[in-house]
Amino acid sequence: MGDSTATADLDVALEKHRTELTGYCYRMLGSSFEAEDAVQDTLVRAWRSHDKFEGRSSLRSWLYRIATNVCLDMLTAGSKRALPMDLTESTPLARAALTPRPENTWLEPMPDARVLPTAGDPAEVAVAKESVRLAFMAALQQLPAKQRAVLILREVLAWRASEVAELLDTTVASVNSALQRARATLAERADAGAEGAVSDPLDEEQQKLLERYVKAFEGYDMTALTALLHEDAVMTMPPFDLWLRGTADITGFMTTIGASCAGSRLLPVQANGLPGFAHYKPDPENGGFSPWAVQVLEISDGRITGFHCFLDTQRWFPLFGLPLHLEAEADEVQQGG
């Protein structure tokens, strides 16, 4: 009886750390699915070797040590996940071509609920949110794996240098040096803090901007949409490496190659600490609407600066708990819509 109680207690103790470990592995790996696999692997390893855990560190530190090793093993191939802007120059609309790259090329979106604490110190919650935003995540992926681990542990999770040195079996001097190099790399990327203008929770002006965006997008009103986009706004569409810059090219794309998105529906989602939408477009064959993309928006100075559309709906919609079909609303059916 005692053993089964101890086992249940251990399960509960390990499970408590799942969300924060998923956040850590996601920042390390840049992939929602790989992060969840890494955490599962971490918890299984911890469970199996718990009798060897001598309590010299806290259970949490021990789990982070296991998770770090799992992530470093997964990263040995030198793969760096990226956003399209990290791989190619922007393409003028006249030359726009939709060329997909393999899914392991791309930084993946992540629902807030799977990686962010729901309670806790507001300052810590804010840092956690900022550190999963797309621009910061893309910058992190450019760091060598060990530097990435040091930066996340020190700057995001606020571990002491001595704790990080112990976790990585290295010296405080080498932790400090890795942190300096990581900071210098991030400082070179002007966009790493680009979404810092998104307040948490969204302020009234940002809420109104999103309401106007939904109205403009669902109405496919390009004049209204242009007024909401920053003149240098960027649109990306992984798994395609094409990305567009500027309102003329973005709206031009939407009315030509993307014209079938007219009459779409948007449902709000929270992804990467940013406002987002599940985008469903009309389904002429089956009626109603079928999934098209998870959109993640970056906002700055009252304008939308980034408009990232993750198109692999068979993966993203279930991850976000979204239905794979929306029925047409009754009034639309009556109008023959």
Side-chain angles (χ1 to χ4, degrees), residues 17-72:
H17 297 280
R18 183 180 292 273
T19 303
E20 66 166 316
L21 287 172
T22 307
Y24 176 61
C25 294
Y26 175 59
R27 294 177 188 99
M28 283 293 290
L29 300 168
S31 159
S32 345
F33 295 103
E34 285 182 4
E36 299 206 325
D37 289 347
V39 172
Q40 201 51 39
D41 192 5
T42 297
L43 297 178
V44 167
R45 289 188 195 192
W47 206 89
R48 283 190 186 141
S49 57
H50 190 253
D51 54 343
K52 298 192 192 84
F53 171 56
E54 292 157 5
R56 282 190 303 236
S57 62
S58 68
L59 179 67
R60 181 172 180 252
S61 306
W62 184 60
L63 288 171
Y64 270 95
R65 174 188 280 264
I66 299 171
T68 302
N69 289 332
V70 169
C71 290
L72 293 176

Side-chain angles (χ1 to χ4, degrees), residues 57-100:
S57 62
S58 68
L59 179 67
R60 181 172 180 252
S61 306
W62 184 60
L63 288 171
Y64 270 95
R65 174 188 280 264
I66 299 171
T68 302
N69 289 332
V70 169
C71 290
L72 293 176
D73 288 347
M74 289 171 82
L75 287 166
T76 47
S79 54
K80 290 180 179 178
R81 287 175 177 268
L83 290 169
M85 297 89 75
D86 299 316
L87 303 178
T88 59
E89 295 297 310
S90 64
T91 310
L93 181 60
R95 294 211 309 273
L98 295 176
T99 314

Side-chain angles (χ1 to χ4, degrees), residues 137-304:
M137 285 289 300
L140 272 183
Q141 305 313 302
Q142 301 303 309
L143 299 174
K146 280 267 173 71
Q147 282 184 33
R148 206 180 300 177
V150 167
L151 184 96
I152 297 164
L153 291 163
R154 292 281 287 118
E155 304 262 295
V156 179
L157 300 171
W159 287 39
R160 293 195 295 274
S162 56
E163 293 171 320
V164 177
E166 191 180 332
L167 181 139
L168 294 172
D169 290 325
T170 185
T171 63
V172 167
S174 102
V175 165
N176 288 338
S177 158
L179 182 60
Q180 276 182 319
R181 290 198 302 277
R183 280 177 177 159
T185 304
L186 289 197
E188 285 165 20
R189 283 184 64 108
D191 66 343
E195 307 119 330
V198 181
S199 56
D200 178 31
L202 295 179
D203 63 31
E204 195 179 342
E205 184 193 358
Q206 290 167 348
Q207 287 285 9
K208 283 193 175 141
L209 175 67
L210 293 178
E211 285 162 22
R212 287 165 64 204
Y213 169 75
V214 170
K215 194 174 173 194
F217 194 97
E218 290 188 345
Y220 232 56
D221 179 341
M222 295 301 138
T223 308
L225 194 61
T226 299
L228 306 178
L229 293 172
H230 189 278
E231 61 189 21
D232 286 330
V234 162
M235 179 182 185
T236 70
M237 290 160 280
F240 300 114
D241 58 13
L242 169 77
W243 63 282
L244 302 163
R245 185 190 290 281
T247 49
D249 278 0
I250 291 171
T251 56
F253 178 90
M254 288 173 67
T255 50
T256 54
I257 299 171
S260 63
C261 291
S264 289
R265 288 284 168 272
L266 299 181
L267 300 183
V269 295
Q270 289 176 304
N272 292 83
L274 293 164
F277 295 94
H279 171 192
Y280 290 83
K281 71 177 189 178
D283 184 341
E285 283 176 34
N286 305 306
F289 300 87
S290 54
W292 183 245
V294 168
Q295 301 180 357
V296 183
L297 303 188
E298 297 166 343
I299 297 174
S300 187
D301 298 329
R303 290 275 186 280
I304 293 163

Side-chain angles (χ1 to χ4, degrees), residues 92-112:
L93 181 60
R95 294 211 309 273
L98 295 176
T99 314
R101 295 204 189 191
E103 67 184 34
N104 66 357
T105 310
W106 302 115
L107 178 62
E108 297 180 347
M110 180 61 112
D112 285 2

